[in-house]
Amino acid sequence: MTNNKILSWQDIRQHLKQPLILATPVTLHVCRHAQSTVNAQKRIAGSQDVDLTPEGEAQARVLGTQLDPEYSLAFASGLKRAYKTLDIAITSGNISVGSIRKDKRLNERNLGVLECGKLRFIPEYAAGDLNYAPENGESYAQLAQRIFSFLIDLAQVTQTSDVNKVLIFSHIGSIRILVSIITENTSSVDVLSQRFGNTELIKLDWHRLIIPEFIEKGGIFQ
């Protein structure tokens, strides 16, 4: 899983024309990054590569005490606020990890003209519109394409190696999609309304990969 390849929707459908059943269930621990400088200003970071605040670094150290002692693999997005949170957490918690990798497919979506602006209500997101993209930005459909590509690769790794517990550090948009794919969510409104705090830890049991109903009904394939 080093090429960060993004599959086409046609290829994703081909991979998942039947449910992809994992050889053995995998525990996923998914974490949002700690407080960033832009979070502290109540602004939108998106694809901007911003750093953690001192408070964020403290949050990451506390998170290290909440993680399990060992993981087969750990992943972070290619953005500093995610991989720095991972590094601080596993170091402060003395966590043993078989392999640590950056994967840009876990990056937050590019929010175009909204980036660095103040947090505000977006009607299209409230309506669960997966195809809406701010000017010069990415849609949730494009983000889902990246997350599916990551999960298909990860599922294949679990089939050929002894991987039973995986740690993932990412961003609120990416986590909305990843968690909703794993839990097979049915409603895009529910998916986009999810809130995850800085360093929030989500624990999932993963046993299969399908294209869930929120994607099928979300207008992506129309």
Side-chain angles (χ1 to χ4, degrees):
M1 296 185 62
T2 57
N3 60 12
N4 291 243
K5 181 178 180 181
I6 301 173
L7 300 172
S8 69
W9 278 114
Q10 182 179 2
D11 286 341
I12 291 168
R13 272 209 176 280
Q14 183 64 27
H15 278 284
L16 301 178
K17 60 184 178 180
Q18 300 294 332
L20 198 167
I21 309 299
L22 304 188
T24 57
V26 173
T27 297
L28 297 179
H29 285 183
V30 183
C31 306
R32 186 183 173 202
H33 62 81
Q35 184 191 68
S36 73
T37 54
V38 174
N39 292 152
Q41 298 167 355
K42 299 188 184 304
R43 294 182 180 273
I44 298 168
S47 64
Q48 300 298 306
D49 197 13
V50 298
D51 208 344
L52 300 180
T53 62
E55 181 178 346
E57 293 181 5
Q59 291 172 346
R61 288 191 290 272
V62 171
L63 176 61
T65 67
Q66 301 168 352
L67 299 175
D68 285 1
E70 296 182 1
Y71 293 89
S72 309
L73 294 172
F75 294 91
S77 87
L79 297 175
K80 185 186 302 181
R81 59 192 184 272
Y83 65 73
K84 191 170 180 179
T85 304
L86 167 62
D87 181 62
I88 293 171
I90 63 174
T91 300
S92 62
N94 196 27
I95 310 299
S96 173
V97 181
S99 178
I100 300 172
R101 308 174 190 181
K102 293 180 188 177
D103 197 308
K104 293 181 180 179
R105 293 174 295 188
L106 295 169
N107 283 16
E108 183 59 281
R109 66 206 186 285
N110 184 327
L111 286 164
V113 296
L114 299 179
E115 293 194 348
C116 296
K118 292 183 178 180
L119 295 173
R120 61 185 178 89
F121 176 75
I122 307 292
E124 292 85 353
Y125 293 152
D129 186 347
L130 300 176
N131 289 306
Y132 165 74
E135 184 181 349
N136 299 323
E138 277 184 291
S139 68
Y140 269 101
Q142 291 171 295
L143 176 59
Q145 195 174 339
R146 289 200 266 119
I147 298 299
F148 268 117
S149 301
F150 169 79
L151 288 173
I152 288 168
D153 279 355
L154 180 57
Q156 292 172 342
V157 167
T158 70
Q159 308 288 56
T160 58
S161 59
D162 185 20
V163 172
N164 54 32
K165 189 178 293 184
V166 178
L167 183 60
I168 298 172
F169 279 72
S170 190
H171 309 265
I172 191 166
S174 305
I175 292 173
R176 282 175 179 143
I177 296 296
L178 190 150
V179 168
S180 298
I181 291 171
I182 298 298
T183 60
E184 302 177 12
N185 206 318
T186 60
S187 166
S188 61
V189 173
D190 290 346
V191 171
L192 301 196
S193 68
Q194 294 175 103
R195 296 287 182 267
F196 304 103
N198 292 120
T199 65
E200 184 169 343
L201 176 61
I202 305 106
K203 299 182 179 182
L204 303 169
D205 292 319
W206 185 29
H207 63 94
R208 73 171 187 172
L209 183 59
I210 66 168
I211 298 177
E213 192 173 344
F214 86 90
I215 294 287
E216 295 286 9
K217 293 167 57 178
I220 292 173
F221 301 114
Q222 294 176 1

